[in-house]
Amino acid sequence: MISPLAYVDSTAKIGKNVTIQPFAYIEGGVEIGDDCVIMSGAKILKGTSMGKGNRVHHGAVLGTEPQDFHYEGDESQLVIGDNNDIRENVVISRATYEGGCTRIGNENYLMDGVHLCHDVQIGNHCVLGIKTTVAGECQIDNFTILSSNVILHQASHIGSWVLIQSGCRISKDVPPYVIMNGNPAEYHGINAAVLQHKHEVSERILRHIVNAYRLVYQGNFSIHDALQKIEDQVPMSDEIHNIINFIRASKGIVK
């Protein structure tokens, strides 16, 4: 159902069973998949496409021009997957350059006032808390939680199954499975409860993850030496491989 009080450009592609409430604004060049709900006051701007089952709440603005001095009007994109819940006053920018894409995966929950800048990449099943700000070119992997008022600086990479607690400022990469706390942010253990109940990680694997991060964060070794000791001392699993590969590829982790 599309309210006659909403503005929907004639070139926008609207799927089946889509609800667009009064005073929503849909520009040309937008694609909205089946079963989406666009609430009153939401704005979806050109270059935005979304899959099915998304809920966009009051006052959200999707597909804004990037707040980047390098932006010169390029026809860039914002691509949103399926079954995301995008709450009130969320702002998400398109990419800076033509061919670029800000991308949101599936089944994410973006709370009130979240701001995602240009070229951000978010995986699946993530939660971003109230007023969290994600700077340009950041990447957030699957099943990660950012609590309220978290700030991610430019090009930070957050691994999967991470919990970043309220008020943290993150200026480097955060490897998978950890909890970050404080300001400046620091390692606060592994995300054990979530890993056990949602990822079904065994007690044995949890101990291996703890041992790996003890070498990284508490062993007084260089990153290179810590990774070597992990390979030598910690039994390998998918989780340990993920830790090693993430840190090895990083230009610097929060330490």
Side-chain angles (χ1 to χ4, degrees):
M1 185 274 291
I2 300 177
S3 170
L5 297 178
Y7 173 80
V8 181
D9 190 275
S10 61
T11 64
K13 298 179 180 179
I14 309 297
K16 299 177 181 178
N17 196 35
V18 171
T19 297
I20 301 179
Q21 294 182 356
F23 311 114
Y25 179 87
I26 314 296
E27 279 192 340
V30 166
E31 297 184 19
I32 299 175
D34 299 345
D35 302 310
C36 289
V37 177
I38 313 301
M39 299 185 188
S40 60
K43 297 177 176 61
I44 304 180
L45 308 180
K46 66 178 182 179
T48 302
S49 62
M50 65 174 66
K52 64 184 180 182
N54 295 289
R55 291 170 57 82
V56 182
H57 290 251
H58 312 280
V61 184
L62 309 185
T64 64
E65 292 186 354
Q67 297 179 40
D68 183 350
F69 292 122
H70 297 99
Y71 178 67
E72 296 181 348
D74 288 16
E75 298 293 328
S76 57
Q77 292 184 298
L78 164 62
V79 176
I80 298 172
D82 302 331
N83 302 313
N84 295 285
D85 204 347
I86 300 173
R87 295 304 304 256
E88 294 82 0
N89 306 308
V90 169
V91 176
I92 308 178
S93 298
R94 293 186 284 115
T96 297
Y97 299 109
E98 185 171 359
C101 178
T102 300
R103 187 178 300 274
I104 315 297
N106 305 320
E107 300 186 27
N108 297 291
Y109 189 54
L110 310 184
M111 295 186 185
D112 172 53
V114 166
H115 191 146
L116 305 181
C117 295
H118 63 90
D119 298 281
V120 165
Q121 309 290 308
I122 296 180
N124 306 316
H125 307 284
C126 294
V127 177
L128 275 65
I130 293 170
K131 303 294 184 184
T132 283
T133 300
V134 180
E137 301 175 5
C138 287
Q139 178 177 336
I140 301 173
D141 294 341
N142 299 338
F143 296 99
T144 280
I145 299 172
L146 276 58
S147 300
S148 299
N149 294 298
V150 170
I151 297 175
L152 298 189
H153 289 251
Q154 183 91 3
S156 298
H157 182 186
I158 311 302
S160 56
W161 299 98
V162 164
L163 169 60
I164 298 179
Q165 296 187 339
S166 296
C168 286
R169 296 183 179 183
I170 303 295
S171 57
K172 294 183 179 179
D173 298 342
V174 177
Y177 317 125
V178 305
I179 297 173
M180 286 285 160
N181 186 27
N183 197 2
E186 60 183 7
Y187 174 70
H188 194 67
I190 67 167
N191 197 11
V194 173
L195 286 171
Q196 282 185 301
H197 294 112
K198 297 294 186 181
H199 193 36
E200 298 182 352
V201 171
S202 68
E203 289 282 354
R204 180 177 62 87
I205 298 298
L206 281 177
R207 287 196 299 271
H208 296 165
I209 295 171
V210 169
N211 289 336
Y213 280 121
R214 184 176 293 120
L215 292 167
V216 172
Y217 284 106
Q218 299 164 333
N220 200 28
F221 305 117
S222 70
I223 291 296
H224 179 271
D225 288 346
L227 293 179
Q228 186 61 56
K229 288 182 179 296
I230 292 171
E231 291 179 327
D232 293 342
Q233 299 176 16
V234 180
M236 283 296 119
S237 63
D238 289 343
E239 289 78 11
I240 301 303
H241 279 298
N242 287 342
I243 292 168
I244 292 170
N245 292 337
F246 184 102
I247 295 175
R248 187 162 282 150
S250 174
K251 295 181 180 179
I253 64 170
V254 174
K255 201 79 160 69

